[in-house]
Amino acid sequence: MLQALQTIVNWGAPVILPIIIAIFAMILGAGFKKSFVAGLTVGIGFIGLNLVTGLLGDTLGKAAQVMVKRFGLSLVTLDIGWPAASAISYGTILGISAIPIGIAIDIFLLLFGLTKTLNIDIWNFWHAAFVGGLVYGMSNSFPLAVFSMVAYQVMLYFLGDLSAPVLNKYYGFPNITFPHGTSAPGYLVALPLNWVFDRIPGFNKLKANPETIQKKFGILGETSVMGLIIGLVVGILAGYDVGKVLNLGVQTAAIMVLLPKMVSVLMEGLTPVSDAANDFIKKRFPGRELYIGMDSALAVGDQAVLAVSLLMIPLTLLLAVILPGNKTIPFGDFSTIPFAVCLMVPVFGGNIVRSVVGGVIYMTSILYVTSWMAPLVTKMAEAASFNIGHATSITSLIEGGLWSTFLFVWGAKYLPWIITGAILIVSLIGLYFLNKRKAVKES
């Protein structure tokens, strides 16, 4: 069974996600034609998103790398990015078991009314597999690694339920949430930061959402022009010639325009599924609300998220250079930065300045954690027979540097079972107060 799962996982998200969505839509009564077209449309939108985010890494990310080399800087640990990290995560029996574990947990929580999230983003269970692999590498305990995957996924369902009302209001997505390993932790980081920002005189009055910026700066505030300017500046700092600078500027502007359009294609495919799910729940479970757990790729096309992400690429490189003790050279995960900040931006109300400041604080912690995590990631890659080429030390900037990953791995080293158990208990209590207790009050 695990071999069959491994084969299916190797097909990748652009294939798995449409199949799951089509099957799910038919179960909900959407009909074969509508379900098939919905799944196919989501697959097309997902491929489009990957192409555009890939362009982000290949253009702006590459220019940032050239900029580092130009100034004679050297860092010893290579960021391999999420595609390699996901392949490493699913490269063992422990890793592939994250899928049946994740599905079982979701069904259990739904049956007992402890979550509103029906997670159909099965491919992204690799985040739990990644954490489990690191815990195993730290503790050499298979049971603790499995227990960590269980606690980690329960935590993500809690974060999905917790963030859903804010995300639905900001993005306008009906009954959709993001229990996504890369994005959900950022939501919890943004909450206390926003509380602090609200209490800083002057800063708390600063309005800097895309609409306000467009009004104040005219054409310079247009998202495409902002992308052009960011691309031109990075190209100049990289020492590109005039032609390359102009090309980078136009390509960055294209990313700002194309990414929202790809998200709209994804939403076109998800709309009939969301409608069918709502009808299904209303008929069979009157009064009960259901969120569809999706890949946070749906959120990265927002104008504020894009603007913050483009600014964070050169800022992340600058942080990597100036932070004492950092060993990580950002590279593979440049295109993942939008996923790290996309659930922070709604908390900040789309305020670009707040989001960039919050992003810098968050990325500072990520760089330090991912540098500490590098030996384990390298060890896990070797255990999965993953070819790391000429690199002697590798890491995954975004996934390997998140506070959520750090908690589980640090706990496995210093307080095995205790930290993991505490996370599980806190998450379950949080889910109870969000769902069961609220349902009792409403009745």
Side-chain angles (χ1 to χ4, degrees):
M1 183 184 73
L2 290 175
Q3 287 180 343
L5 275 175
Q6 182 71 68
T7 301
I8 293 171
V9 165
N10 290 340
W11 294 347
V15 173
I16 296 173
L17 196 56
I19 293 173
I20 292 171
I21 287 174
I23 293 172
F24 180 54
M26 282 190 285
I27 291 172
L28 295 173
F32 175 78
K33 180 181 177 182
K34 188 179 288 187
S35 301
F36 181 82
V37 172
L40 184 60
T41 303
V42 168
I44 292 168
F46 202 87
I47 288 173
L49 273 171
N50 283 338
L51 288 172
V52 180
T53 54
L55 180 63
L56 175 64
D58 292 341
T59 55
L60 206 60
K62 185 178 179 180
Q65 283 280 308
V66 173
M67 185 173 69
V68 168
K69 291 181 180 178
R70 185 186 180 207
F71 290 101
L73 305 167
S74 60
L75 297 166
V76 298
T77 299
L78 179 66
D79 160 38
I80 57 173
W82 75 264
S86 63
I88 292 169
S89 301
Y90 278 143
T92 63
I93 292 176
L94 174 67
I96 201 66
S97 66
I99 292 177
I101 288 173
I103 294 172
I105 291 170
D106 196 15
I107 292 171
F108 174 84
L109 294 174
L110 284 167
L111 286 175
F112 285 91
L114 289 172
T115 187
K116 295 178 182 177
T117 300
L118 175 61
N119 193 4
I120 61 174
D121 187 25
I122 291 173
W123 191 84
N124 271 312
F125 286 172
W126 76 263
H127 298 280
F130 184 80
V131 170
L134 291 177
V135 168
Y136 180 76
M138 178 63 78
S139 65
N140 204 33
S141 169
F142 191 87
L144 179 59
V146 173
F147 184 54
S148 296
M149 289 195 295
V150 171
Y152 179 84
Q153 299 210 52
V154 172
M155 180 192 71
L156 287 185
Y157 288 123
F158 166 62
L159 292 177
D161 283 7
L162 180 68
S163 60
V166 173
L167 303 182
N168 287 179
K169 181 179 179 181
Y170 180 82
Y171 288 116
F173 299 152
N175 298 98
I176 287 177
T177 190
F178 306 116
H180 190 276
T182 299
S183 307
Y187 179 82
L188 217 55
V189 171
L191 290 176
L193 287 178
N194 197 51
W195 184 89
V196 172
F197 294 160
D198 280 339
R199 284 153 183 79
I200 300 176
F203 191 78
N204 58 3
K205 303 292 184 184
L206 185 63
K207 297 188 183 300
N209 57 31
E211 293 77 15
T212 304
I213 291 174
Q214 286 175 12
K215 288 179 181 178
K216 287 185 176 180
F217 296 97
I219 189 173
L220 295 177
E222 294 289 334
T223 52
S224 57
V225 178
M226 288 171 62
L228 174 69
I229 293 170
I230 293 169
L232 293 176
V233 170
V234 173
I236 291 169
L237 291 174
Y240 283 177
D241 59 35
V242 176
K244 282 189 174 181
V245 169
L246 293 175
N247 266 282
L248 181 60
V250 175
Q251 287 169 334
T252 311
I255 292 167
M256 294 288 284
V257 174
L258 292 175
L259 207 54
K261 295 186 183 300
M262 294 303 101
V263 172
S264 68
V265 174
L266 259 175
M267 283 306 301
E268 182 184 337
L270 284 174
T271 299
V273 184
S274 178
D275 292 342
N278 288 330
D279 292 340
F280 184 88
I281 294 297
K282 286 178 182 178
K283 289 178 182 177
R284 291 163 178 80
F285 305 98
R288 186 169 177 182
E289 189 178 17
L290 181 72
Y291 302 134
I292 299 175
M294 277 297 301
D295 192 309
S296 53
L298 281 171
V300 302
D302 177 71
Q303 290 186 351
V305 172
L306 276 173
V308 172
S309 302
L310 293 179
L311 290 168
M312 283 303 301
I313 287 178
L315 286 172
T316 298
L317 261 178
L318 177 64
L319 287 171
V321 170
I322 66 175
L323 288 175
N326 171 59
K327 299 176 182 178
T328 300
I329 173 66
F331 178 64
D333 265 336
F334 275 130
S335 61
T336 313
I337 287 177
F339 292 81
V341 301
C342 67
L343 300 199
M344 300 178 73
V345 173
V347 178
F348 298 129
N351 188 306
I352 293 173
V353 174
R354 285 195 183 203
S355 300
V356 169
V357 174
V360 167
I361 295 170
Y362 192 30
M363 193 57 69
T364 298
S365 70
I366 286 174
L367 283 166
Y368 278 124
V369 171
T370 200
S371 297
W372 177 77
M373 205 81 71
L376 278 177
V377 176
T378 306
K379 180 180 177 181
M380 189 166 76
E382 292 170 351
S385 301
F386 186 85
N387 183 12
I388 63 174
H390 297 292
T392 56
S393 177
I394 64 170
T395 193
S396 174
L397 177 66
I398 301 300
E399 188 61 37
L402 301 177
W403 63 263
S404 49
T405 306
F406 173 77
L407 267 183
F408 282 94
V409 179
W410 183 87
K413 183 175 183 180
Y414 295 105
L415 294 168
W417 297 98
I418 296 175
I419 294 294
T420 305
I423 294 170
L424 178 61
I425 291 169
V426 170
S427 298
L428 286 171
I429 292 173
L431 283 167
Y432 173 81
F433 275 89
L434 280 174
N435 298 296
K436 293 289 285 186
R437 189 171 180 181
K438 183 178 178 182
V440 169
K441 283 184 177 181
E442 288 175 350
S443 61

